[in-house]
């Protein structure tokens, strides 16, 4: 049997649809592959799934038929195959394609459920033709937007017991009912705090119940981190998830996940060793952002959705994955404001880096320069690429001050290092030079220890070890503050400076300024920890800096101090996050800050007009700079060091 060979599509708005031939559940899959036009408004179902890395080894049989007898082709073909005389049947010409296991399983599900016409990118697009791939990606949004139904197929083995398949559905309905009873959505700003000690009293199953154990693995499915799924589900008229033999409406799933996020339920999940809260949180947030961009009431043909700048989508999807790195950009282009921008149209003849340069130039020209700089700061240097260009396909995204930036989610402006100054970004068309306006405040003079980085890189989760690391961290900050005359002038209490430096003055996991309670939290954290293997002098010095009296050291925690314990927990978690990626530094003038380990002595602290946070720039021999990364500098984050009279042009190569 011959391998299937694609015929070229006849027009830019052409695409192929699969027609699945009915047969027994375990029979080989036979389909027809026919070209159609978006303008013809065909009726079909579009598949959303994960390509994965497995080899395409399953056979899909594609049958070409004489158009005059196409209505009877299936019956004739089946009779000849049953009689072992398929070669005699000249009206049916069968060839094959190799497909992955998950595509085979999805097609079998479609056939079993009577869905006959489907669109699947792995089959309906000639993946080996780069020009066709680019043309089909250009109309991808319209393909999903025009589909009668989008099916998210999460390739999962069905439950052994039929009744188990409904556990997830029961849980989602219970969560939705709980949200309704607590008026979720009627007043988003009025956050209700729930005591989850006895979850059953709220009409929900205990956290060790099998119902939760159906949801938690689902939220770890790689589909939630795939780049393309955002567009596929956002524009779909109707969308259903298929998981563990259960078909779930996306509105039910997303609204239930929104309730979980709002009431902080994932914090109480019972997780297996291979499960983690960060993955669950990312899956829920991604679902939440889709729901927020999709208005519940739309037209008769389905809900309407909202576009936003491409860079907003890309920043929100830093951790998404794509088989082809170029698709990190192309997957978001169709639902962005720049979907018609000529320089950004899908082109698989370009490298991923070339595409990222075009995105950066376009975003700067559209007034998004500060966001470009902030996104660039998340990567390390790339040879041959201007330092101000974000490489969206890079996995090396680490920032001192990461910004939670999901489309549809409020983008908090925690800091204002340039006191609200307007951005001025100018780009030279040749040489890759970006000119910004700002000031060079100071230069790095000295670093603290990097010992904590290596210690936490092999973190075994031991509570005592973590507590000891936090205390060592706080001792270092307290010691360095003694010579940081700009960040903590004489006469100013070190308690505030230590607590804010430890968390980079941000609330844990949020784009918010650290609350006043973090001062109490830092003191409580140190007080309840005991000496924890610290040298006596170091511990006593830290207690003095945090104003912990001698009579309180190592004493039991006083009763009814739940708020202090809450602040201590948040400070500890935020400090651990900072310690894992940052080193402390002192500047020549006496500022204390935190930066990524790739910084060097002599790197300049730049305040760039229009940017909320400071950046490190490395001086080059020609007087220009290269961008190193973002940083936190205590004492300048709210415009204290900004002087508009000293603004000058700064060239970044």
């Amino acid at each position: 049997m011959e391998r299937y060979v694609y015929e070229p599509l006849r027009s830019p708005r052409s695409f192929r649809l699969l027609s699945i031939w009915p047969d027994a559940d375990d029979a080989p899959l036979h389909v027809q592959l026919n070209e159609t036009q978006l303008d013809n408004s065909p009726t079909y179902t579009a598949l959303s799934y994960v390509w994965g890395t497995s080899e395409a080894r399953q056979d899909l049989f594609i049958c070409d038929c004489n158009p005059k007898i196409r209505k009877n082709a299936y019956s004739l073909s089946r009779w000849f195959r049953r009689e072992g005389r398929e070669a005699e049947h000249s009206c049916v010409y069968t060839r094959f394609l190799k497909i992955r296991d998950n595509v085979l399983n999805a097609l079998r599900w479609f056939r079993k459920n009577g869905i006959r016409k489907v669109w699947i990118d792995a089959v309906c697009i000639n993946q080996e033709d780069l020009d066709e791939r680019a043309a089909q990606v250009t109309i991808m949004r319209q393909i999903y937007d025009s589909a009668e139904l989008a099916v998210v197929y999460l390739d999962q083995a069905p439950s052994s017991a039929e009744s188990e398949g409904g556990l997830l559905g029961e849980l989602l309905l219970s969560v939705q009912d709980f949200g309704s009873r607590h008026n979720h959505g009627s007043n988003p700003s009025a956050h209700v705090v729930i005591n989850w000690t006895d979850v059953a009293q709220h009409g929900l199953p205990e956290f060790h119940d099998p119902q939760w154990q159906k949801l938690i693995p689902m939220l770890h499915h790689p589909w939630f981190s795939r780049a393309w799924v955002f567009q596929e589900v956002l524009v779909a008229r109707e969308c259903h998830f298929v998981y563990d033999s259960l078909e779930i409406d996306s509105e039910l799933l997303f609204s239930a996940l929104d309730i979980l996020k709002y009431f902080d339920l994932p914090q109480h999940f019972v997780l297996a060793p291979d499960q983690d809260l960060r993955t669950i949180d990312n899956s829920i947030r991604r679902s939440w952002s889709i729901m927020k961009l999709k208005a519940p009431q739309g037209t008769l043909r389905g809900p309407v959705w909202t576009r936003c700048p491409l860079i907003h989508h890309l920043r929100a999807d830093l951790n998404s994955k794509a088989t082809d790195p170029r698709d990190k950009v192309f997957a978001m282009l169709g639902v962005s404001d720049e979907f018609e921008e000529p320089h950004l149209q899908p082109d698989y003849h370009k490298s991923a880096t070339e595409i990222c340069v075009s995105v950066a130039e376009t975003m700067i020209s559209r007034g998004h320069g500060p966001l470009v700089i902030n996104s660039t700061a998340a990567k390390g240097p790339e040879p041959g690429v201007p330092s101000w260009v974000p490489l969206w396909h890079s996995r090396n995204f680490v920032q001192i001050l990461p910004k939670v930036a999901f489309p549809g989610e409020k983008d908090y402006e925690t800091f204002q290092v340039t006191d609200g100054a307007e951005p001025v970004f100018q780009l030279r068309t040749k040489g890759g030079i970006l000119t910004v306006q700002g000031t060079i405040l100071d230069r790095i003079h000295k670093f603290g220890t990097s010992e904590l980085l290596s210690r936490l890189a092999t973190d075994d989760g031991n509570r005592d070890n973590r507590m000891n690391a936090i205390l060592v961290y706080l001792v270092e900050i307290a010691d360095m503050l003694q010579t940081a005359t700009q960040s903590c002038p004489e006469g100013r209490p070190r308690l505030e400076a230590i607590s804010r430096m430890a968390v980079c003055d941000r609330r844990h996991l949020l784009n918010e300024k650290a609350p006043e309670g973090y001062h109490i939290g830092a003191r409580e954290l140190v007080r309840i920890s005991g000496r924890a293997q610290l040298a006596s002098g170091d511990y006593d010095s830290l207690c003095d800096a945090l104003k912990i009296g001698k009579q309180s050291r190592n004493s039991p925690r006083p009763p009814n101090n739940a708020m202090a314990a809450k602040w201590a927990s948040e400070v500890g978690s935020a400090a651990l996050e900072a310690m894992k990626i940052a080193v402390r530094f002192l500047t020549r003038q006496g500022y204390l800050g935190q930066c990524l380990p790739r910084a060097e002595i002599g790197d300049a602290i730049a305040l760039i007009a229009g940017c909320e946070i400071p950046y490190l720039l490395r001086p080059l021999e020609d007087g220009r700079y290269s961008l190193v990364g973002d940083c936190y500098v205590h004492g300048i984050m709210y415009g204290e060091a900004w002087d508009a009279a000293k603004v000058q042009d700064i060239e970044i190569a």
Side-chain angles (χ1 to χ4, degrees):
M1 188 181 299
E2 296 179 13
R3 185 178 182 87
Y4 183 79
V5 178
Y6 289 90
E7 293 290 333
L9 293 170
R10 291 191 288 267
S11 80
R13 291 182 62 80
S14 293
F15 69 113
R16 302 182 185 91
L17 286 176
L18 277 177
S19 297
I20 305 173
W21 287 9
D23 212 329
D25 290 350
D26 59 349
L29 278 162
H30 287 76
V31 302
Q32 287 177 244
L33 195 56
N34 300 313
E35 181 177 338
T36 187
Q37 297 277 333
L38 282 169
D39 300 329
N40 294 340
S41 302
T43 301
Y44 60 95
T45 297
L47 178 69
S48 178
Y49 68 110
V50 177
W51 267 56
T53 57
S54 63
E55 183 182 351
R57 58 186 180 183
Q58 302 293 341
D59 288 326
L60 176 65
F61 298 104
I62 301 179
C63 306
D64 294 332
C65 304
N66 185 328
K68 295 181 180 179
I69 60 169
R70 184 165 289 164
K71 287 185 178 180
N72 299 319
Y74 164 70
S75 298
L76 288 170
S77 175
R78 191 175 184 185
W79 185 86
F80 273 94
R81 283 191 287 115
R82 188 171 62 242
E83 296 297 316
R85 298 162 57 188
E86 186 171 3
E88 301 176 32
H89 188 21
S90 60
C91 68
V92 178
Y93 177 35
T94 304
R95 292 174 287 178
F96 75 93
L97 275 180
K98 290 292 184 181
I99 57 176
R100 291 178 170 85
D101 291 349
N102 55 351
V103 175
L104 177 75
N105 293 338
L107 286 170
R108 289 189 184 280
W109 185 87
F110 284 135
R111 182 172 66 180
K112 180 179 180 179
N113 287 274
I115 298 175
R116 294 290 174 251
K117 286 193 178 295
V118 299
W119 184 87
I120 303 176
D121 61 349
V123 179
C124 295
I125 298 175
N126 181 0
Q127 299 293 333
E128 296 179 359
D129 185 336
L130 296 183
D131 292 327
E132 180 176 307
R133 276 177 63 191
Q136 292 289 282
V137 165
T138 302
I139 63 170
M140 192 80 76
R141 177 187 60 78
Q142 293 99 310
I143 290 175
Y144 278 92
D145 183 56
S146 301
E148 185 178 46
L149 173 69
V151 169
V152 177
Y153 187 80
L154 307 182
D155 196 25
Q156 176 79 1
S159 302
S160 55
E162 191 66 31
S163 60
E164 288 187 14
L167 290 177
L168 180 57
E170 294 174 12
L171 174 64
L172 297 177
L173 291 172
S174 298
V175 171
Q176 195 173 59
D177 179 63
F178 165 80
S180 299
R181 285 187 280 109
H182 287 80
N183 299 317
H184 171 65
S186 59
N187 185 6
S189 62
H191 192 93
V192 180
V193 178
I194 301 292
N195 182 359
W196 293 113
T197 305
D198 182 10
V199 66
Q201 71 174 327
H202 301 293
L204 296 174
E206 298 290 344
F207 288 114
H208 59 266
D209 190 279
Q211 291 186 44
W212 293 109
Q213 301 314 310
K214 288 293 179 184
L215 176 64
I216 292 171
M218 180 184 187
L219 295 177
H220 281 79
H221 195 283
W223 181 89
F224 287 94
S225 63
R226 179 173 167 262
W228 279 106
V229 303
F230 191 96
Q231 172 180 260
E232 293 166 359
V233 177
L234 176 64
V235 305
R237 303 184 196 181
E238 185 176 356
C239 178
H240 292 175
F241 282 72
V242 176
Y243 179 74
D244 199 26
S245 302
L246 184 68
E247 190 171 351
I248 309 166
D249 188 286
S250 63
E251 289 189 15
L252 170 61
L253 176 64
F254 288 173
S255 64
L257 295 181
D258 184 30
I259 293 168
L260 295 181
K261 174 181 180 289
Y262 183 80
F263 290 102
D264 297 326
L265 265 81
Q267 303 289 335
H268 305 276
F269 285 172
V270 179
L271 303 180
D274 60 342
Q275 297 169 343
D276 67 276
L277 193 58
R278 187 178 295 274
T279 298
I280 292 173
D281 184 64
N282 285 338
S283 297
I284 292 176
R285 283 178 174 274
R286 202 148 191 250
S287 304
W288 182 87
S289 59
I290 292 173
M291 187 177 71
K292 293 304 180 184
L293 287 179
K294 200 168 187 173
Q297 66 275 5
T299 63
L300 290 176
R301 51 178 308 282
V304 295
W305 49 275
T306 306
R307 293 185 184 276
C308 66
L310 176 60
I311 195 165
H312 287 195
H313 283 304
L314 294 173
R315 286 167 58 81
D317 256 34
L318 286 178
N319 295 317
S320 69
K321 300 174 183 176
T323 304
D324 188 320
R326 293 166 288 195
D327 285 337
K328 289 273 289 187
V329 173
F330 297 155
M332 293 297 169
L333 183 61
V335 291
S336 73
D337 292 338
E338 294 79 16
F339 72 103
E340 292 182 325
E341 180 66 40
H343 300 296
L344 299 182
Q345 294 310 299
D347 183 351
Y348 288 97
H349 294 287
K350 292 182 178 180
S351 69
T353 300
E354 289 176 307
I355 292 165
C356 289
V357 171
S358 296
V359 170
E361 292 173 346
T362 302
M363 292 299 104
I364 289 172
S365 70
R366 286 176 170 254
H368 299 297
L371 287 181
V372 171
I373 288 287
N374 186 261
S375 306
T376 307
K379 72 172 182 66
E382 184 82 7
V385 182
S387 65
W388 48 266
V389 172
L391 298 180
W392 301 107
H393 56 282
S394 171
R395 302 301 299 169
N396 186 29
F397 278 90
V398 182
Q399 286 179 291
I400 296 298
L401 300 169
K403 211 169 186 183
V404 180
F406 281 80
E409 190 171 29
K410 184 178 179 182
D411 200 7
Y412 294 95
E413 294 185 351
T414 312
F415 305 114
Q416 274 298 340
V417 73
T418 58
D419 199 25
E422 289 296 318
V424 179
F425 283 66
Q426 295 179 331
L427 188 61
R428 286 191 194 174
T429 56
K430 293 184 179 180
I433 304 300
L434 174 64
T435 302
V436 299
Q437 287 193 348
T439 62
I440 301 298
L441 176 68
D442 205 349
R443 296 181 187 272
I444 292 179
H445 172 65
K446 176 184 177 182
F447 288 111
T449 178
S450 60
E451 181 259 341
L452 290 173
L453 290 171
S454 56
R455 181 193 296 191
L456 292 172
T458 56
D459 181 21
D460 59 2
N462 183 282
R463 182 183 181 278
D464 290 339
N465 290 343
R466 287 184 172 183
M467 185 62 74
N468 179 250
I470 292 173
L471 292 182
V472 171
Y473 175 63
L474 294 176
V475 166
E476 180 184 64
I477 291 174
D479 286 346
M480 296 180 76
L481 274 172
Q482 294 185 45
T483 55
T485 55
Q486 293 288 348
S487 290
C488 189
E490 187 175 354
R492 293 283 299 275
R494 284 195 292 161
L495 167 60
E496 177 182 358
I498 292 172
S499 61
R500 295 197 180 280
M501 258 293 298
V503 299
C504 295
D505 206 13
R506 289 175 19 127
R507 189 162 192 175
H508 185 46
L509 299 179
L510 295 174
N511 289 331
E512 297 177 359
K513 181 180 172 65
E516 295 295 325
Y518 273 20
H519 306 165
I520 300 172
R523 293 171 61 185
E524 180 73 357
L525 187 68
V526 172
R527 195 186 61 77
I528 65 176
S529 69
R531 298 184 182 275
Q533 303 176 30
L534 277 184
S536 177
D538 287 342
Y539 183 73
D540 290 340
S541 174
L542 182 59
C543 288
D544 290 340
L546 295 176
K547 296 185 177 180
I548 301 174
K550 294 185 182 300
Q551 69 278 8
S552 298
R553 300 176 191 181
N554 299 322
S555 61
R557 179 167 46 192
N560 302 321
N561 203 9
M563 187 55 70
K566 177 180 183 298
W567 293 137
S569 176
E570 285 196 22
V571 169
S573 297
L576 278 170
E577 290 297 316
M579 292 157 56
K580 289 178 182 178
I581 62 171
V583 292
R584 271 56 59 203
F585 67 83
L586 278 168
T587 70
R588 296 172 182 175
Q589 297 178 28
Y591 287 103
L592 178 62
Q594 305 237 39
C595 65
L596 295 173
R598 60 174 172 260
E600 297 177 359
I601 300 294
D603 284 348
I605 298 170
L607 312 184
I608 300 174
C611 294
E612 302 171 21
I613 59 177
Y615 294 95
L616 291 179
L617 301 181
R618 184 159 299 154
L620 302 176
E621 293 181 356
D622 58 4
R624 299 186 175 112
Y625 297 86
S626 64
L627 181 61
V628 177
D630 66 333
C631 61
Y632 172 82
V633 182
H634 193 69
I636 73 166
M637 302 303 292
Y638 304 98
E640 300 96 323
W642 176 251
D643 186 348
K646 296 182 179 179
V647 168
Q648 60 184 358
D649 285 348
I650 301 173
E651 293 188 338
I652 305 175

